[in-house]
């Protein structure tokens, strides 16, 4: 007889702690403590239950602004992901070191923004400048800008996007520098001021009023967005299956996958595959990591590109 699996997704829920029993130096999950609807609750974990935990969060404590409001810079106390990892790792070095990734916001924060346009002037002017139609040019970096790059995707970008509406996205890495056209740091800027800076860099100032009057720019401050790239030591990222554990696995960007490259969808998926296969003792392995640096064809193409050889 076939069995059915059931998945229950519960929103507005914060996992506060994973309760562990330690017996004969083996750690086993026996409960999940969480908060939902203003109440603290517990899920009892049976002997044949398996627990998969996503460690940390690149998007924890993200904050949205608006056309006339700058986003706030929040921290790890404004969410639950880092607090959960800190509790798990306390006194358990095999569970990693969240401090290596969560306590350096000055090095990991980004500001991105999404702009919705109800007028085609911006896209028309950008096409005239670059020779690209939306979706063709990829990332557009302003080399003289103190802030940012933008990306104009193929339109419509979203399902159901009206024909007279366009969207584009951008980001800034140096968010604490003043703009070239707005005398404020990017972190302090509203959506209107970010659009003013973009149009200044593109020399679209003659159309500035018309474009901004038909734009909604929403800035988003992300304090941990590049935390997975920080300098770290062996053990700071725990293994997918931590040493001396029985029914728990870690997945996401902050567990260790040898030879793989984080900040990719593949990394998160491969960590989940490793976790699932190991926990249920399935004799399978995830697809091997592609190592292009050992491919002579890739090396040859890279050499030609670096030396500007086109013929």
């Amino acid at each position: 007889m076939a069995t059915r699996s059931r998945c229950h997704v519960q929103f507005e829920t914060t996992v506060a702690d994973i309760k562990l029993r330690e017996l004969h130096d083996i750690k086993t999950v026996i409960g999940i403590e969480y908060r939902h609807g203003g109440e603290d609750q517990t899920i009892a974990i049976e002997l044949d239950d398996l627990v998969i935990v996503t460690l940390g969060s690149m998007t924890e404590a993200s904050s949205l602004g608006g056309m006339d409001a700058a986003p706030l810079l929040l921290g790890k106390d404004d969410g639950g992901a880092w607090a959960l990892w800190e509790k798990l790792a306390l006194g358990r070095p095999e569970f990693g070191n969240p401090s290596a990734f969560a306590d350096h916001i000055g090095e990991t924060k980004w500001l991105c923004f999404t702009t919705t346009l109800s007028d085609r002037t911006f896209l028309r002017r950008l096409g005239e400048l670059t020779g690209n139609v939306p979706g063709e040019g990829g990332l557009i970096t302003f080399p003289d800008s103190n802030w940012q790059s933008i990306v104009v995707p193929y339109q419509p970008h979203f399902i159901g996007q009206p024909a007279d509406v366009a969207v584009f996205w951008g980001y800034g890495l140096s968010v604490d520098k003043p703009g070239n056209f707005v005398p404020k740091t990017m972190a302090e800027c509203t959506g209107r001021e970010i659009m003013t800076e973009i149009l200044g860099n593109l020399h679209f100032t003659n159309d500035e009023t018309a474009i901004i009057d038909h734009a909604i720019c929403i800035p988003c401050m992300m304090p941990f967005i590049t935390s997975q790239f920080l300098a770290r030591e062996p053990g700071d990222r725990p293994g997918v299956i931590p040493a001396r554990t029985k029914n728990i696995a870690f997945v996401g960007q902050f567990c260790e996958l040898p030879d793989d490259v984080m900040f990719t969808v593949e990394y998160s998926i491969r960590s989940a595959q490793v976790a699932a296969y190991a926990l249920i003792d399935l004799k399978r392995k995830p697809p091997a990591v592609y190592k292009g640096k050992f491919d002579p064809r890739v090396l040859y193409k890279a050499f030609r590109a670096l030396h500007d050889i086109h013929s």
Side-chain angles (χ1 to χ4, degrees), residues 71-86:
L72 300 175
L73 177 61
L74 304 179
K76 64 182 181 182
D77 294 334
D78 296 291
W82 294 106
L84 174 62
W85 188 7
E86 288 176 339

mmCIF file of all heavy atoms in Angstrom, residues 71-86:
data_model
loop_
_atom_site.group_PDB
_atom_site.id
_atom_site.type_symbol
_atom_site.label_atom_id
_atom_site.label_comp_id
_atom_site.label_asym_id
_atom_site.label_seq_id
_atom_site.Cartn_x
_atom_site.Cartn_y
_atom_site.Cartn_z
ATOM 1 N N PRO A 71 15.117 53.234 4.575
ATOM 2 C CA PRO A 71 14.981 52.025 5.405
ATOM 3 C C PRO A 71 15.852 52.121 6.652
ATOM 4 O O PRO A 71 16.858 52.832 6.671
ATOM 5 C CB PRO A 71 15.461 50.902 4.484
ATOM 6 C CG PRO A 71 16.429 51.575 3.565
ATOM 7 C CD PRO A 71 15.909 52.968 3.348
ATOM 8 N N LEU A 72 15.452 51.416 7.692
ATOM 9 C CA LEU A 72 16.228 51.393 8.923
ATOM 10 C C LEU A 72 17.291 50.300 8.846
ATOM 11 O O LEU A 72 17.110 49.291 8.185
ATOM 12 C CB LEU A 72 15.308 51.121 10.121
ATOM 13 C CG LEU A 72 14.195 52.131 10.375
ATOM 14 C CD1 LEU A 72 13.313 51.650 11.526
ATOM 15 C CD2 LEU A 72 14.766 53.513 10.666
ATOM 16 N N LEU A 73 18.398 50.511 9.554
ATOM 17 C CA LEU A 73 19.408 49.473 9.689
ATOM 18 C C LEU A 73 19.108 48.699 10.972
ATOM 19 O O LEU A 73 19.257 49.215 12.075
ATOM 20 C CB LEU A 73 20.818 50.070 9.749
ATOM 21 C CG LEU A 73 21.959 49.067 9.968
ATOM 22 C CD1 LEU A 73 22.018 48.056 8.823
ATOM 23 C CD2 LEU A 73 23.297 49.785 10.105
ATOM 24 N N LEU A 74 18.665 47.458 10.810
ATOM 25 C CA LEU A 74 18.331 46.618 11.950
ATOM 26 C C LEU A 74 19.480 45.644 12.231
ATOM 27 O O LEU A 74 20.534 45.735 11.610
ATOM 28 C CB LEU A 74 17.029 45.867 11.660
ATOM 29 C CG LEU A 74 15.822 46.748 11.298
ATOM 30 C CD1 LEU A 74 14.598 45.897 11.000
ATOM 31 C CD2 LEU A 74 15.525 47.753 12.410
ATOM 32 N N GLY A 75 19.283 44.726 13.151
ATOM 33 C CA GLY A 75 20.346 43.800 13.517
ATOM 34 C C GLY A 75 19.806 42.426 13.853
ATOM 35 O O GLY A 75 18.622 42.138 13.681
ATOM 36 N N LYS A 76 20.670 41.572 14.387
ATOM 37 C CA LYS A 76 20.287 40.174 14.614
ATOM 38 C C LYS A 76 19.226 40.031 15.699
ATOM 39 O O LYS A 76 18.538 39.008 15.759
ATOM 40 C CB LYS A 76 21.512 39.337 14.949
ATOM 41 C CG LYS A 76 22.211 39.716 16.243
ATOM 42 C CD LYS A 76 23.442 38.856 16.464
ATOM 43 C CE LYS A 76 24.140 39.191 17.770
ATOM 44 N NZ LYS A 76 25.361 38.391 17.970
ATOM 45 N N ASP A 77 19.069 41.039 16.560
ATOM 46 C CA ASP A 77 18.036 40.973 17.591
ATOM 47 C C ASP A 77 16.640 41.254 17.031
ATOM 48 O O ASP A 77 15.651 41.129 17.761
ATOM 49 C CB ASP A 77 18.341 41.987 18.705
ATOM 50 C CG ASP A 77 19.603 41.632 19.471
ATOM 51 O OD1 ASP A 77 19.952 40.431 19.500
ATOM 52 O OD2 ASP A 77 20.242 42.542 20.028
ATOM 53 N N ASP A 78 16.572 41.643 15.758
ATOM 54 C CA ASP A 78 15.277 41.954 15.141
ATOM 55 C C ASP A 78 14.696 40.771 14.372
ATOM 56 O O ASP A 78 13.794 40.933 13.551
ATOM 57 C CB ASP A 78 15.422 43.168 14.212
ATOM 58 C CG ASP A 78 15.805 44.420 14.975
ATOM 59 O OD1 ASP A 78 14.959 44.907 15.742
ATOM 60 O OD2 ASP A 78 16.947 44.890 14.823
ATOM 61 N N GLY A 79 15.211 39.582 14.612
ATOM 62 C CA GLY A 79 14.694 38.370 13.986
ATOM 63 C C GLY A 79 15.071 37.179 14.835
ATOM 64 O O GLY A 79 15.615 37.323 15.941
ATOM 65 N N GLY A 80 14.795 35.976 14.330
ATOM 66 C CA GLY A 80 15.044 34.796 15.142
ATOM 67 C C GLY A 80 16.119 33.861 14.643
ATOM 68 O O GLY A 80 16.568 32.971 15.378
ATOM 69 N N ALA A 81 16.550 34.017 13.380
ATOM 70 C CA ALA A 81 17.446 33.024 12.786
ATOM 71 C C ALA A 81 18.807 32.970 13.473
ATOM 72 O O ALA A 81 19.310 31.884 13.797
ATOM 73 C CB ALA A 81 17.623 33.309 11.294
ATOM 74 N N TRP A 82 19.433 34.128 13.678
ATOM 75 C CA TRP A 82 20.762 34.130 14.290
ATOM 76 C C TRP A 82 20.684 33.740 15.759
ATOM 77 O O TRP A 82 21.573 33.049 16.275
ATOM 78 C CB TRP A 82 21.412 35.494 14.136
ATOM 79 C CG TRP A 82 21.702 35.836 12.716
ATOM 80 C CD1 TRP A 82 21.032 36.740 11.929
ATOM 81 C CD2 TRP A 82 22.705 35.259 11.877
ATOM 82 N NE1 TRP A 82 21.566 36.760 10.671
ATOM 83 C CE2 TRP A 82 22.594 35.873 10.598
ATOM 84 C CE3 TRP A 82 23.693 34.297 12.079
ATOM 85 C CZ2 TRP A 82 23.423 35.545 9.541
ATOM 86 C CZ3 TRP A 82 24.531 33.966 11.016
ATOM 87 C CH2 TRP A 82 24.385 34.590 9.769
ATOM 88 N N ALA A 83 19.615 34.174 16.450
ATOM 89 C CA ALA A 83 19.450 33.809 17.860
ATOM 90 C C ALA A 83 19.329 32.298 18.029
ATOM 91 O O ALA A 83 19.871 31.715 18.976
ATOM 92 C CB ALA A 83 18.226 34.509 18.444
ATOM 93 N N LEU A 84 18.617 31.647 17.109
ATOM 94 C CA LEU A 84 18.470 30.197 17.176
ATOM 95 C C LEU A 84 19.825 29.513 17.022
ATOM 96 O O LEU A 84 20.165 28.599 17.787
ATOM 97 C CB LEU A 84 17.511 29.714 16.092
ATOM 98 C CG LEU A 84 17.367 28.196 15.957
ATOM 99 C CD1 LEU A 84 16.815 27.590 17.247
ATOM 100 C CD2 LEU A 84 16.493 27.843 14.762
ATOM 101 N N TRP A 85 20.607 29.950 16.043
ATOM 102 C CA TRP A 85 21.921 29.336 15.827
ATOM 103 C C TRP A 85 22.818 29.569 17.042
ATOM 104 O O TRP A 85 23.558 28.679 17.467
ATOM 105 C CB TRP A 85 22.553 29.879 14.547
ATOM 106 C CG TRP A 85 23.810 29.171 14.140
ATOM 107 C CD1 TRP A 85 24.355 28.047 14.702
ATOM 108 C CD2 TRP A 85 24.700 29.533 13.078
ATOM 109 N NE1 TRP A 85 25.530 27.691 14.048
ATOM 110 C CE2 TRP A 85 25.744 28.583 13.055
ATOM 111 C CE3 TRP A 85 24.683 30.563 12.135
ATOM 112 C CZ2 TRP A 85 26.793 28.653 12.130
ATOM 113 C CZ3 TRP A 85 25.718 30.628 11.218
ATOM 114 C CH2 TRP A 85 26.752 29.686 11.209
ATOM 115 N N GLU A 86 22.758 30.772 17.621
ATOM 116 C CA GLU A 86 23.581 31.065 18.787
ATOM 117 C C GLU A 86 23.244 30.135 19.951
ATOM 118 O O GLU A 86 24.137 29.657 20.666
ATOM 119 C CB GLU A 86 23.416 32.528 19.195
ATOM 120 C CG GLU A 86 24.090 33.497 18.228
ATOM 121 C CD GLU A 86 23.840 34.953 18.568
ATOM 122 O OE1 GLU A 86 22.853 35.246 19.276
ATOM 123 O OE2 GLU A 86 24.628 35.803 18.129
#
